[in-house]
Amino acid sequence: QVQLVESGGGLVQPGGSLRLSCAASGFTLDGFAIGWFRQPPGKEREGVSCISGDGTIPHFASVKGRFTISRDNAKNTVYLEMNALKPEDTAVYYCAGSSDMYYFCQDDAQLYDYWGQGTQVTVSS
């Protein structure tokens, strides 16, 4: 069955780095778009980044250049490298998959069919 599992979250000091992983099973990432979303405490879920089915990363798919999304088809895993973390980045981070965005992806949660359980990222000194 289709499953997405996030990992790599934790507590990090401001300015630090984390790499989140989104491992897919039940389908191959090639041809599927994967998006990263986050939900800060008390706030709405927002899009962070995405990669389309053909590997295209839109210009908006990074947070001020600090976050980088990548895909390893051999491992069927998508990563989110987060650098220069700020307290405002504290949130539960989710990955999601869609089979309907091959050429260009969008960070609209309504367009994604499959969701992981989320991983907590806390940026604090």
Side-chain angles (χ1 to χ4, degrees):
Q1 64 188 81
V2 174
Q3 187 175 20
L4 295 171
V5 180
E6 303 95 336
S7 62
L11 176 64
V12 63
Q13 292 187 339
S17 300
L18 285 174
R19 187 175 74 165
L20 306 183
S21 299
C22 175
S25 61
F27 69 99
T28 56
L29 292 176
D30 187 22
F32 284 79
I34 297 293
W36 282 99
F37 299 82
R38 68 183 183 185
Q39 186 165 18
K43 299 182 179 180
E44 296 181 350
R45 185 172 299 183
E46 63 181 357
V48 175
S49 187
C50 66
I51 182 169
S52 69
D54 71 347
T56 299
I57 302 174
H59 69 277
F60 58 80
S62 66
V63 180
K64 297 182 179 180
R66 298 184 295 114
F67 294 3
T68 302
I69 192 170
S70 62
R71 185 177 72 193
D72 187 334
N73 289 336
K75 297 181 178 180
N76 219 35
T77 299
V78 171
Y79 303 96
L80 184 69
E81 181 72 33
M82 306 186 296
N83 299 308
L85 285 163
K86 304 175 181 179
E88 311 93 88
D89 296 319
T90 295
V92 177
Y93 284 71
Y94 301 89
C95 68
S98 173
S99 61
D100 299 321
M101 292 181 286
Y102 184 76
Y103 294 105
F104 297 100
C105 60
Q106 298 173 264
D107 56 354
D108 184 347
Q110 294 294 112
L111 301 177
Y112 291 83
D113 305 310
Y114 313 107
W115 289 84
Q117 294 296 308
T119 184
Q120 176 70 47
V121 173
T122 302
V123 184
S124 176
S125 59

